[in-house]
């Protein structure tokens, strides 16, 4: 009888379900799948397109400038019947549009081959910036004395005004941010006429100083 009770007591624990075995195991987190990785890559590629992009505002256009300039140098117009020009200087007014286009007008006086007064109108372009080389096309009107040459075809040389078309280069021209400039050695060549004959014209500017306002 005692043996039966002892066997019954030992067998009861084996029949009861263990808590560790009855409890359901918590599923472990599944590793990221290929679909989730593709979604992350797509979001990274689409985000820059969807998000608004802030572009910097464009820089303001350069202002138009007006300056007064003083120039010194010489010009010489030679035709078959007359030579006019000399060395002197002048004063002028210049406008620069958008830091590129130049429009100017000046008056000057030259003395060597007589007393010559010159009115000159010019238009051209410049590089802009600190080093601002320029190229100008000029139209000049000269009045005054000159060295006349008598020939068989022209026993009475013309004494009226003379005109000239020229191209002037300014390779050594430097300007400040405010538009004031200094220029050295401005060569130029062209064609002149005393309204009877035609001949070459040469120009050499020695110094030019411009003050912007």
């Amino acid at each position: 009888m005692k043996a039966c009770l002892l066997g019954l007591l030992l067998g009861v624990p084996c029949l009861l379900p263990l808590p560790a075995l009855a409890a359901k195991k918590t599923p472990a987190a599944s590793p990221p799948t290929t679909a989730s990785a593709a979604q992350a890559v797509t979001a990274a590629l689409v985000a820059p397109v969807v998000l608004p992009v802030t572009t910097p505002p464009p820089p303001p256009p350069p202002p138009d400038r007006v300056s007064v300039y003083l120039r010194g140098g010489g010009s010489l117009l030679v035709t078959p019947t007359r030579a006019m020009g000399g060395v002197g200087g002048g004063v002028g007014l210049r406008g620069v549009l958008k830091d590129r286009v130049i429009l100017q007008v000046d008056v000057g006086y030259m003395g060597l081959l007589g007393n010559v007064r010159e009115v000159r109108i010019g238009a051209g372009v410049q590089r802009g910036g600190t080093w601002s080389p320029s190229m100008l096309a000029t139209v000049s009107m000269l009045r005054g004395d000159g060295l006349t040459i008598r020939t068989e075809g022209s026993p009475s040389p013309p004494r009226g005004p003379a005109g000239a078309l020229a191209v002037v280069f300014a390779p050594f021209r430097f300007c400040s941010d405010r538009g004031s400039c200094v220029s050295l050695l401005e060569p130029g060549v062209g064609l002149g006429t005393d309204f009877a004959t035609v001949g070459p014209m040469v120009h050499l500017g020695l110094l030019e100083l411009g003050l912007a306002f």
Side-chain angles (χ1 to χ4, degrees):
M1 186 65 179
K2 293 180 179 181
C4 293
L5 292 176
L6 181 59
L8 182 60
L9 292 175
L10 294 176
V12 170
C14 296
L15 297 176
L16 294 176
L18 295 177
L21 297 176
K24 293 183 179 180
K25 295 183 179 180
T26 303
S30 59
T33 61
T34 305
S36 61
Q39 292 176 358
V41 173
T42 304
L45 294 176
V46 173
V49 179
V50 176
L51 294 177
V53 179
T54 303
T55 58
D64 301 336
R65 301 188 184 278
V66 178
S67 61
V68 175
Y69 62 93
L70 301 173
R71 64 179 179 89
S75 297
L76 180 62
L77 168 62
V78 180
T79 67
T81 58
R82 183 166 53 169
M84 295 181 68
V87 179
V91 58
L93 183 66
R94 173 181 293 135
V96 179
L97 307 179
K98 307 305 180 185
D99 205 28
R100 283 293 182 269
V101 180
I102 300 176
L103 301 173
Q104 67 180 41
V105 58
D106 57 54
V107 295
Y109 169 82
M110 293 178 289
L112 186 63
L113 299 177
N115 300 317
V116 178
R117 298 173 300 277
E118 181 183 22
V119 178
R120 189 176 68 162
I121 300 174
V125 293
Q126 68 174 15
R127 176 180 178 271
T130 302
W131 178 49
S132 299
S134 65
M135 181 180 67
L136 291 173
T138 63
V139 179
S140 302
M141 183 66 69
L142 297 90
R143 298 184 64 92
D145 303 327
L147 178 63
T148 60
I149 304 171
R150 295 180 181 272
T151 63
E152 294 181 358
S154 179
S156 299
R159 296 183 178 276
L165 298 174
V167 178
V168 180
F169 303 92
F172 307 110
R173 186 167 175 266
F174 303 91
C175 298
S176 67
D177 295 337
R178 298 182 59 86
S180 299
C181 300
V182 58
S183 181
L184 302 172
L185 299 179
E186 298 183 352
V189 294
L191 190 66
T193 177
D194 54 13
F195 302 102
T197 56
V198 177
M201 180 180 184
V202 293
H203 168 82
L204 180 62
L206 299 178
L207 176 64
E208 182 183 285
L209 299 174
L211 178 61
F213 57 88

